[in-house]
Amino acid sequence: MSTDNGEYVLRIRRGSSAALMMALVAFAAGCGGSGSDAAPTKPPAGDSAAKETGAGGAAVDESGSDTVFRTEERFKQALPDPTSMAGWTPRGASAEIEEAPEAAANCGPDADWYCARIARGEADYEAVGEEAQFDLTAFADKGAAQDACRKQKAWSAKYTKAQTPPIPGVDSYAYYRNAGGLDGLNLYMCTGTVVAQVLLEGEGSTLDPDTAHALGQLFAARIHKAAAAS
């Protein structure tokens, strides 16, 4: 979330408890917080992603990672920060750690693909006429994550497919969906023990697949880097 002095803070919530804990470090106001006077404009497609992925723009393939995302620091590393989202205004960041996750065997239909999650985090940003939301849903192991990905993909098959290029190093797919009167482009990525989503949303927004692709590359690279961190 953005504070009055422009700091950007990731807040952590455990289970259904209302108690919130601040993450280790707040992001500085000069990194694109709400205190900035600069007009929010979307970055050229691929610019931020190239910084995260390195030479050639291709993310390192960490799809086989067994890393479990269940700590504040892991989510802080994986979710895009204001520095990586130059040109976008940060609107909030949070993560929730499940104290008593549901066993995968107890989960039901495809619509409840996230049932067995052990943690979830999100970071929200805004540019002129469009919002970008990054969601990270974590599972106890790769098997549970792959099952969730399969269920979500099957559930979303009824929606119009978006022509978004594949994201290197992950299993990715995208579709359009209208919800709450807002048009949305949903890009999902499955890798290791997590399912990640980039949602572009806006009333009358163009929802550019190239923008979704660039943000997906950025997100995938940060997830892989967080998974590789000791």
Side-chain angles (χ1 to χ4, degrees):
M1 64 176 291
S2 295
T3 60
D4 292 339
N5 63 1
E7 293 181 330
Y8 191 63
V9 179
L10 174 66
R11 292 188 180 277
I12 307 296
R13 184 175 63 173
R14 292 189 175 275
S16 59
S17 171
L20 297 175
M21 297 192 306
M22 284 195 178
L24 299 179
V25 181
F27 295 106
C31 292
S34 61
S36 174
D37 293 329
T41 56
K42 286 186 283 187
D47 276 11
S48 294
K51 293 178 182 178
E52 292 292 337
T53 56
V60 176
D61 185 357
E62 294 287 350
S63 58
S65 172
D66 291 310
T67 301
V68 176
F69 284 68
R70 201 174 182 177
T71 66
E72 292 89 336
E73 184 62 23
R74 195 75 68 180
F75 275 94
K76 183 174 179 291
Q77 292 169 339
L79 292 168
D81 60 15
T83 300
S84 64
M85 288 292 290
W88 295 77
T89 301
R91 291 305 185 197
S94 63
E96 180 176 355
I97 310 299
E98 300 288 346
E99 294 181 330
E102 192 71 42
N106 297 336
C107 295
D110 293 350
D112 296 327
W113 63 269
Y114 48 83
C115 167
R117 71 188 182 195
I118 62 171
R120 175 188 175 274
E122 73 172 69
D124 302 323
Y125 292 85
E126 183 179 41
V128 176
E130 199 159 48
E131 294 183 5
Q133 178 175 308
F134 298 86
D135 281 292
L136 188 65
T137 304
F139 296 88
D141 53 51
K142 287 189 292 186
Q146 289 168 357
D147 182 60
C149 187
R150 178 188 58 78
K151 288 181 177 180
Q152 207 289 329
K153 186 181 291 187
W155 177 83
S156 66
K158 58 189 173 184
Y159 296 107
T160 301
K161 183 178 179 180
Q163 299 303 316
T164 301
I167 306 297
V170 303
D171 176 14
S172 65
Y173 56 97
Y175 60 91
Y176 294 102
R177 182 188 178 198
N178 179 280
L182 294 176
D183 296 321
L185 192 165
N186 300 265
L187 169 63
Y188 274 88
M189 300 179 290
C190 307
T191 180
T193 62
V194 301
V195 177
Q197 177 195 20
V198 177
L199 169 62
L200 292 180
E201 193 172 54
E203 186 174 1
S205 170
T206 57
L207 302 178
D208 184 8
D210 287 339
T211 299
H213 181 255
L215 296 179
Q217 284 185 291
L218 184 155
F219 197 12
R222 291 184 66 91
I223 292 169
H224 293 161
K225 189 179 294 185
S230 59

